[in-house]
mmCIF file of all heavy atoms in Angstrom:
data_model
loop_
_atom_site.group_PDB
_atom_site.id
_atom_site.type_symbol
_atom_site.label_atom_id
_atom_site.label_comp_id
_atom_site.label_asym_id
_atom_site.label_seq_id
_atom_site.Cartn_x
_atom_site.Cartn_y
_atom_site.Cartn_z
ATOM 1 N N MET A 112 330.669 -63.273 -65.637
ATOM 2 C CA MET A 112 329.254 -62.921 -65.691
ATOM 3 C C MET A 112 329.132 -61.437 -65.974
ATOM 4 O O MET A 112 329.829 -60.617 -65.356
ATOM 5 C CB MET A 112 328.586 -63.259 -64.361
ATOM 6 C CG MET A 112 327.087 -63.066 -64.344
ATOM 7 S SD MET A 112 326.418 -63.264 -62.669
ATOM 8 C CE MET A 112 326.368 -61.544 -62.149
ATOM 9 N N VAL A 113 328.270 -61.065 -66.902
ATOM 10 C CA VAL A 113 328.063 -59.666 -67.263
ATOM 11 C C VAL A 113 326.625 -59.281 -66.940
ATOM 12 O O VAL A 113 325.683 -60.017 -67.273
ATOM 13 C CB VAL A 113 328.338 -59.416 -68.759
ATOM 14 C CG1 VAL A 113 328.118 -57.950 -69.113
ATOM 15 C CG2 VAL A 113 329.758 -59.832 -69.116
ATOM 16 N N SER A 114 326.476 -58.135 -66.284
ATOM 17 C CA SER A 114 325.138 -57.625 -65.986
ATOM 18 C C SER A 114 325.192 -56.100 -65.954
ATOM 19 O O SER A 114 326.271 -55.496 -65.898
ATOM 20 C CB SER A 114 324.619 -58.181 -64.659
ATOM 21 O OG SER A 114 325.517 -57.856 -63.603
ATOM 22 N N GLU A 115 324.049 -55.485 -66.000
ATOM 23 C CA GLU A 115 323.952 -54.020 -65.961
ATOM 24 C C GLU A 115 323.020 -53.613 -64.829
ATOM 25 O O GLU A 115 322.145 -54.389 -64.430
ATOM 26 C CB GLU A 115 323.412 -53.504 -67.299
ATOM 27 C CG GLU A 115 324.293 -53.803 -68.497
ATOM 28 C CD GLU A 115 323.763 -53.170 -69.771
ATOM 29 O OE1 GLU A 115 323.919 -51.942 -69.912
ATOM 30 O OE2 GLU A 115 323.192 -53.909 -70.589
ATOM 31 N N PRO A 116 323.162 -52.372 -64.333
ATOM 32 C CA PRO A 116 324.250 -51.420 -64.589
ATOM 33 C C PRO A 116 325.500 -51.754 -63.783
ATOM 34 O O PRO A 116 325.473 -52.660 -62.948
ATOM 35 C CB PRO A 116 323.645 -50.089 -64.138
ATOM 36 C CG PRO A 116 322.710 -50.481 -63.035
ATOM 37 C CD PRO A 116 322.131 -51.802 -63.441
ATOM 38 N N HIS A 117 326.560 -51.012 -64.029
ATOM 39 C CA HIS A 117 327.845 -51.277 -63.389
ATOM 40 C C HIS A 117 327.734 -51.291 -61.866
ATOM 41 O O HIS A 117 328.309 -52.162 -61.203
ATOM 42 C CB HIS A 117 328.863 -50.221 -63.843
ATOM 43 C CG HIS A 117 330.229 -50.400 -63.250
ATOM 44 N ND1 HIS A 117 331.136 -51.319 -63.726
ATOM 45 C CD2 HIS A 117 330.851 -49.771 -62.201
ATOM 46 C CE1 HIS A 117 332.247 -51.257 -63.014
ATOM 47 N NE2 HIS A 117 332.090 -50.335 -62.088
ATOM 48 N N LYS A 118 326.971 -50.370 -61.309
ATOM 49 C CA LYS A 118 326.898 -50.245 -59.847
ATOM 50 C C LYS A 118 326.243 -51.451 -59.187
ATOM 51 O O LYS A 118 326.350 -51.639 -57.967
ATOM 52 C CB LYS A 118 326.147 -48.967 -59.464
ATOM 53 C CG LYS A 118 324.665 -48.983 -59.835
ATOM 54 C CD LYS A 118 323.990 -47.695 -59.403
ATOM 55 C CE LYS A 118 322.493 -47.725 -59.735
ATOM 56 N NZ LYS A 118 321.835 -46.466 -59.308
ATOM 57 N N GLU A 119 325.552 -52.284 -59.984
ATOM 58 C CA GLU A 119 324.876 -53.452 -59.426
ATOM 59 C C GLU A 119 325.752 -54.703 -59.396
ATOM 60 O O GLU A 119 325.268 -55.786 -59.049
ATOM 61 C CB GLU A 119 323.595 -53.738 -60.214
ATOM 62 C CG GLU A 119 322.515 -52.686 -60.043
ATOM 63 C CD GLU A 119 322.121 -52.502 -58.581
ATOM 64 O OE1 GLU A 119 322.060 -53.513 -57.850
ATOM 65 O OE2 GLU A 119 321.897 -51.356 -58.178
ATOM 66 N N ILE A 120 327.038 -54.575 -59.760
ATOM 67 C CA ILE A 120 327.929 -55.737 -59.688
ATOM 68 C C ILE A 120 327.904 -56.388 -58.304
ATOM 69 O O ILE A 120 327.752 -57.620 -58.203
ATOM 70 C CB ILE A 120 329.364 -55.347 -60.104
ATOM 71 C CG1 ILE A 120 329.435 -55.133 -61.624
ATOM 72 C CG2 ILE A 120 330.379 -56.427 -59.674
ATOM 73 C CD1 ILE A 120 330.796 -54.651 -62.118
ATOM 74 N N PRO A 121 328.035 -55.636 -57.203
ATOM 75 C CA PRO A 121 328.010 -56.306 -55.886
ATOM 76 C C PRO A 121 326.703 -57.030 -55.599
ATOM 77 O O PRO A 121 326.706 -58.151 -55.072
ATOM 78 C CB PRO A 121 328.243 -55.154 -54.900
ATOM 79 C CG PRO A 121 328.921 -54.097 -55.697
ATOM 80 C CD PRO A 121 328.331 -54.188 -57.067
ATOM 81 N N GLY A 122 325.566 -56.415 -55.942
ATOM 82 C CA GLY A 122 324.282 -57.053 -55.690
ATOM 83 C C GLY A 122 324.114 -58.326 -56.491
ATOM 84 O O GLY A 122 323.610 -59.340 -55.981
ATOM 85 N N ASN A 123 324.543 -58.299 -57.742
ATOM 86 C CA ASN A 123 324.448 -59.501 -58.570
ATOM 87 C C ASN A 123 325.410 -60.582 -58.091
ATOM 88 O O ASN A 123 325.087 -61.774 -58.130
ATOM 89 C CB ASN A 123 324.725 -59.145 -60.034
ATOM 90 C CG ASN A 123 323.557 -58.414 -60.665
ATOM 91 O OD1 ASN A 123 322.405 -58.774 -60.465
ATOM 92 N ND2 ASN A 123 323.844 -57.372 -61.435
ATOM 93 N N ALA A 124 326.585 -60.174 -57.639
ATOM 94 C CA ALA A 124 327.537 -61.149 -57.106
ATOM 95 C C ALA A 124 326.980 -61.799 -55.837
ATOM 96 O O ALA A 124 327.101 -63.015 -55.644
ATOM 97 C CB ALA A 124 328.877 -60.479 -56.811
ATOM 98 N N SER A 125 326.358 -60.999 -54.983
ATOM 99 C CA SER A 125 325.777 -61.541 -53.756
ATOM 100 C C SER A 125 324.656 -62.527 -54.085
ATOM 101 O O SER A 125 324.559 -63.609 -53.476
ATOM 102 C CB SER A 125 325.239 -60.401 -52.881
ATOM 103 O OG SER A 125 324.672 -60.900 -51.689
#
Side-chain angles (χ1 to χ4, degrees):
M112 186 188 96
V113 180
S114 57
E115 298 185 75
H117 180 79
K118 67 179 182 180
E119 292 302 322
I120 287 176
N123 286 317
S125 180

